[in-house]
């Protein structure tokens, strides 16, 4: 079975690109690049995953980020955190060591704004370019090529990468200078955290009151309470299903970045801090790999 959905791509010239990190997001994102006609070389820390990808999509595999990046016009990356990102970018085997002048590194990792600015400065020093470009839309968005991509960097560099990134994104937007993409993703996660907690409380309240919550969701989703989370996760929350989507462990990593940035810039995020602790409770329940909508289980169990 194909690991990506069908999509019609806008006609663009074929580019030589690399993709570093073939996790639940990177694997289908790189697949869309290959399906759209780009020449893709992939690197993954576990080489078997890179071989699996090449078996499905063609393209080439590389033993190091440096080898993957050699000759690439654009190097895409989607790994776990700041440390993972530095490990594939810097050092003798890192992507920067293999990239040519004027090449662009596009980072889709949800990382700190600080590391984005750090790597942007290093790329600039080397005569290359760096765009921080975290994504929203989860695994389904990556599979179907409809991610929201929030970018930080220079306009002219962004203009070069946008047509290529659109093969896996439905909205690819420059929101500001280096680090702004990561900050926008933090705003995204703040909004989601509070919303999912509110939805969880509403569902738990309705079930405690004996309501038919699928019927209630159908009614209120036509009004002011409507949201993506309600439309896509409401019924599965009622059914106690949490085996898909964006994992609690990943959300806690993201909210940790939010809280660290808030301490630095003075922003007040009391609800986010509280929901972060609620997610810690879900982890203690053994739900680290459950979808983020599992907040409702904490209210039931």
């Amino acid at each position: 079975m194909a690991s990506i959905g069908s999509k019609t791509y806008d006609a663009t010239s074929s580019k030589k690109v690399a993709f570093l990190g073939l996790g639940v997001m990177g694997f289908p994102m790189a697949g869309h690049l290959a399906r759209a006609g780009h020449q893709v070389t992939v690197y993954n820390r576990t080489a078997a995953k890179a071989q699996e990808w090449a078996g499905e999509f063609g393209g080439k595999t590389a033993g190091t980020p440096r080898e993957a990046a050699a000759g690439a016009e654009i190097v895409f990356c989607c790994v776990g955190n700041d440390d993972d990102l530095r490990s594939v970018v810097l050092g003798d085997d890192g992507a920067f060591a293999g990239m040519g002048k004027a090449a662009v590194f596009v980072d889709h990792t949800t990382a700190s704004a600080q590391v984005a600015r750090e790597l942007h400065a290093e790329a600039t020093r080397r005569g290359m370019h760096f765009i921080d470009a975290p994504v929203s839309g989860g695994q389904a968005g990556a599979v179907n090529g409809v991610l929201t991509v929030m970018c930080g960097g220079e306009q002219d560099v962004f203009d070069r990468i946008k047509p290529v990134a659109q093969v896996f994104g439905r909205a690819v937007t420059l929101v500001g200078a280096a680090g702004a993409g990561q900050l926008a993703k933090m705003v995204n996660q703040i909004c989601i955290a509070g919303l999912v907690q509110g939805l969880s409380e509403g569902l738990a309240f309705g079930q405690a009151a004996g309501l038919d919550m699928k019927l209630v969701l159908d009614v209120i989703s036509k009004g002011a309470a409507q949201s993506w989370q309600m439309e896509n996760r409401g019924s599965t929350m009622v059914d106690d299903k949490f085996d898909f989507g964006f994992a609690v462990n990943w959300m806690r990593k993201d909210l940790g970045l939010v809280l660290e940035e808030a301490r630095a810039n003075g922003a007040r995020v009391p609800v986010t801090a509280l929901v972060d602790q609620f997610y810690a409770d879900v982890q203690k329940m053994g739900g680290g790999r459950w979808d983020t909508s599992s907040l409702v289980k904490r209210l039931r169990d």
Side-chain angles (χ1 to χ4, degrees):
M1 187 177 72
S3 60
I4 62 173
S6 61
K7 181 179 179 179
T8 301
Y9 307 104
D10 293 336
T12 58
S13 59
S14 177
K15 303 286 187 186
K16 186 173 182 182
V17 303
F19 205 106
L20 315 178
L22 300 174
V24 295
M25 301 294 286
F27 195 100
M29 290 165 75
H32 281 291
L33 287 166
R35 184 81 60 81
H38 297 292
Q39 305 164 59
V40 188
T41 300
V42 297
Y43 163 80
N44 193 66
R45 186 164 50 189
T46 304
K49 196 72 173 178
Q51 294 295 338
E52 178 188 345
W53 183 93
E56 180 170 352
F57 296 105
K60 300 177 180 178
T61 65
T64 66
R66 177 176 182 164
E67 291 173 20
E73 298 168 79
I74 306 171
V75 180
F76 295 95
C77 176
C78 191
V79 291
N81 55 38
D82 286 20
D83 290 341
D84 294 332
L85 179 58
R86 289 189 182 96
S87 74
V88 297
V89 172
L90 304 174
D92 291 343
D93 287 329
F96 279 4
M99 290 169 63
K101 300 287 186 183
V104 186
F105 191 99
V106 182
D107 178 39
H108 297 298
T109 308
T110 296
S112 69
Q114 177 184 345
V115 77
R117 297 186 191 109
E118 170 193 320
L119 294 177
H120 179 274
E122 179 61 19
T124 301
R125 189 184 70 79
R126 294 172 179 244
M128 302 178 305
H129 305 286
F130 184 94
I131 297 282
D132 53 292
V135 299
S136 180
Q139 185 176 356
V143 167
N144 294 312
V146 292
L147 293 167
T148 296
V149 188
M150 299 154 266
C151 301
E154 293 82 10
Q155 183 73 54
D156 60 327
V157 181
F158 170 78
D159 291 342
R160 286 169 54 195
I161 66 98
K162 180 179 179 180
V164 185
Q166 282 177 319
V167 305
F168 49 71
R170 65 176 168 191
V172 183
T173 308
L174 183 68
V175 296
Q182 296 296 351
L183 294 171
K185 178 62 183 286
M186 293 178 201
V187 173
N188 185 78
Q189 302 305 72
I190 291 168
C191 295
I192 289 173
L195 198 155
V196 175
Q197 177 62 20
L199 178 58
S200 297
E201 291 183 18
L203 287 175
F205 174 90
Q207 288 176 314
L211 293 173
D212 177 345
M213 283 311 299
K214 289 197 176 180
L215 177 61
V216 172
L217 284 172
D218 184 61
V219 173
I220 67 173
S221 67
K222 295 176 175 64
Q226 187 276 336
S227 68
W228 185 96
Q229 294 290 338
M230 182 179 290
E231 292 284 348
N232 291 273
R233 296 289 181 263
S235 64
T236 53
M237 291 166 76
V238 172
D239 289 338
D240 215 35
K241 293 179 179 176
F242 312 107
D243 57 347
F244 52 85
F246 188 68
V248 167
N249 287 343
W250 301 340
M251 186 58 148
R252 285 218 72 206
K253 185 265 288 186
D254 291 0
L255 294 182
L257 293 171
V258 168
L259 297 172
E260 182 179 356
E261 187 69 31
R263 283 190 290 271
N265 69 20
R268 298 171 65 188
V269 287
V271 173
T272 304
L274 188 61
V275 176
D276 178 59
Q277 291 307 302
F278 293 162
Y279 276 124
D281 293 342
V282 175
Q283 287 177 317
K284 291 173 185 173
M285 294 166 61
R289 299 293 299 177
W290 295 342
D291 178 74
T292 50
S293 59
S294 59
L295 274 179
V296 71
K297 277 188 74 68
R298 180 185 165 277
L299 299 173
R300 292 183 186 139
D301 299 350

